Amino acid sequence: MADDRDIKIYVKNGMSETTEFEAISDDILRHVSNGNKEKAIDLGVRMAKIKAEDGIIDLSGYKLSAAQLYQVRVLLTFIAEYSVQKNIPVDFLSDTVSTSMYDYLKANEKGYYDNISDGGAFTFYLLALKKFGDTATNVGEQFAMLCGINKPDIIKLGADIFETARSHFSEMIKNTDFKSVE
């Protein structure tokens, strides 16, 4: 017999669709008028610009090829998106940050944007997030696989990149200091 514990039943809330739309619209207008939207756009651009060579992560001691440095950049972009989704609970703001990040990449680094927009590498990292065990190690294993070097030190590097970049992006988000719209 099929397991149906994960089936969701839609229960209409007390608001009409028009009232709900108006409430969402009002929230968006408040985020625009209080400067949160501009902060979100700026944050997305700053996140998009982060690269392996920026010194956020320590790559000394590793002789990484251009293809492997590219994989570091892909992982950094994935972690930026992951951090946005984890740390910005307001959908409008998280969507604005993500859109700004990808718009910047599309306009300024089209080749890179085209390469990551197929989502291939991101899919491996998303699966790593869902896998049982230590998340950073799981991500590190996927990083090593994408680099084509399945060695413990490369797995550890991927795990370290995940932890360090996640902390860095979370701090960037925190320092953006979005205003409440209550």
Side-chain angles (χ1 to χ4, degrees):
M1 182 166 194
D3 182 11
D4 60 0
R5 287 179 287 176
D6 63 344
I7 294 175
K8 306 284 189 249
I9 306 294
Y10 175 74
V11 179
K12 187 174 180 173
N13 64 19
M15 277 189 200
S16 73
E17 287 181 24
T18 303
T19 305
E20 187 174 356
F21 177 77
E22 289 171 354
I24 292 169
S25 183
D26 289 346
D27 278 349
I28 290 171
L29 289 174
R30 284 192 285 273
H31 283 294
V32 170
S33 66
N34 74 4
N36 281 350
K37 179 182 178 189
E38 285 305 314
K39 288 179 183 181
I41 291 169
D42 178 62
L43 176 61
V45 169
R46 288 185 291 123
M47 291 175 119
K49 290 180 177 181
I50 292 178
K51 297 180 181 167
E53 52 274 8
D54 291 341
I56 292 166
I57 47 175
D58 182 12
L59 297 175
S60 62
Y62 295 96
K63 293 182 179 172
L64 300 175
S65 68
Q68 292 157 346
L69 286 171
Y70 171 80
Q71 289 302 327
V72 171
R73 175 81 188 281
V74 171
L75 181 53
L76 287 170
T77 304
F78 173 80
I79 298 165
E81 176 70 26
Y82 172 78
S83 299
V84 165
Q85 299 308 316
K86 283 289 195 188
N87 293 299
I88 302 177
V90 178
D91 289 342
F92 172 72
L93 294 178
S94 63
D95 291 347
T96 302
V97 173
S98 294
T99 299
S100 172
M101 185 170 68
Y102 293 118
D103 284 351
Y104 174 85
L105 293 173
K106 193 184 311 181
N108 297 286
E109 298 181 47
K110 181 136 177 56
Y112 175 70
Y113 173 80
D114 289 344
N115 286 334
I116 64 166
S117 65
D118 74 358
F122 281 21
T123 300
F124 288 107
Y125 291 130
L126 285 169
L127 292 172
L129 296 177
K130 296 176 188 285
K131 186 177 173 184
F132 183 76
D134 180 65
T135 302
T137 301
N138 294 341
V139 169
E141 289 169 351
Q142 295 306 312
F143 172 75
M145 186 263 310
L146 290 166
C147 285
I149 308 173
N150 196 13
K151 292 184 178 178
D153 61 326
I154 300 301
I155 293 171
K156 183 180 179 334
L157 174 61
D160 290 346
I161 292 169
F162 179 77
E163 291 294 344
T164 302
R166 184 174 64 166
S167 175
H168 180 78
F169 289 124
S170 295
E171 192 66 24
M172 286 177 74
I173 292 166
K174 179 182 166 198
N175 290 338
T176 300
D177 196 30
F178 292 114
K179 296 177 184 166
S180 177
V181 294
E182 297 171 42

